[in-house]
Amino acid sequence: TLMGQVRTAVHATAGAPPGEVLARTNRLLTDLDAGLFTSCLYAALDLARHRACLATAGHPPPILRHPDGRTEVLHPPPGLLLGIDPDADYPTTEIPLPPGAVLTLYTDGLVEEPGSDIEDSINTLADRLARTRDQTMDALADSLIDHAQRSAPCSDDIALLLIHHRHTVG
């Protein structure tokens, strides 16, 4: 139910800068006073300008695979989880998204392993993303999810979104 409310709030404010979308969604959740909170990462893509704007509410950091195959764990300024403080601020960060890049967004279920440091797991995901450069997006997604399930089966949900900014021929 909570995620349905978050989706509805995000859709209602889509088009505003990412930080504002999260701030409005956060205010709605705190007004509902459900006593529940959630993480969220909102990305607005501008493929014509080869840019993405990101804002995060306690969500795992996105990973960018550059066109040369090198990966980078991005660290946009964090905001509080949604639903905690109605006055929380969610800064927006703009990053380059050149043709050939892959922006990887995921939930913590993909990287959390009992007894392991989450930063190590995120770096392992980034390394795996770098090594699987020649795969289709479907094969890449399957590979990343299969690896996570084999290395630490868990009951948490896994969501993965791969955004591949393909080269276009004019």
Side-chain angles (χ1 to χ4, degrees):
T1 303
L2 176 64
M3 291 315 296
Q5 292 169 333
V6 170
R7 277 191 296 277
T8 299
V10 166
H11 285 290
T13 58
E20 184 61 28
V21 170
L22 291 184
R24 291 177 187 175
T25 302
N26 178 56
R27 282 191 297 276
L28 173 69
L29 287 180
T30 54
D31 287 347
L32 292 173
D33 196 28
L36 300 172
F37 49 89
T38 188
S39 68
C40 185
L41 186 136
Y42 188 88
L45 305 177
D46 183 346
L47 298 180
R49 289 183 47 234
H50 312 293
R51 311 291 293 168
C53 291
L54 310 169
T56 182
H59 204 68
I63 301 170
L64 180 65
R65 185 176 73 193
H66 295 271
D68 64 4
R70 167 180 61 88
T71 57
E72 175 182 5
V73 178
L74 304 174
H75 294 284
L80 285 176
L81 294 169
L82 299 177
I84 294 176
D85 176 2
D87 298 319
D89 185 40
Y90 300 93
T92 298
T93 299
E94 188 171 304
I95 62 160
L97 189 61
V102 176
L103 182 61
T104 305
L105 310 176
Y106 55 94
T107 59
D108 57 357
L110 190 66
V111 291
E112 281 187 342
E113 300 177 33
S116 295
D117 181 274
I118 194 163
E119 295 295 324
D120 292 340
S121 297
I122 291 168
N123 290 329
T124 297
L125 177 64
D127 291 343
R128 186 154 187 82
L129 184 63
R131 289 192 311 270
T132 53
R133 191 168 165 202
D134 297 324
Q135 294 183 346
T136 66
M137 289 299 102
D138 286 339
L140 177 57
D142 289 343
S143 172
L144 296 175
I145 290 170
D146 288 346
H147 175 75
Q149 290 176 331
R150 273 186 270 117
S151 62
C154 66
S155 60
D156 199 359
D157 63 327
I158 293 176
L160 172 66
L161 176 63
L162 299 171
I163 301 165
H164 182 204
H165 186 189
R166 296 188 302 191
H167 294 279
T168 56
V169 178

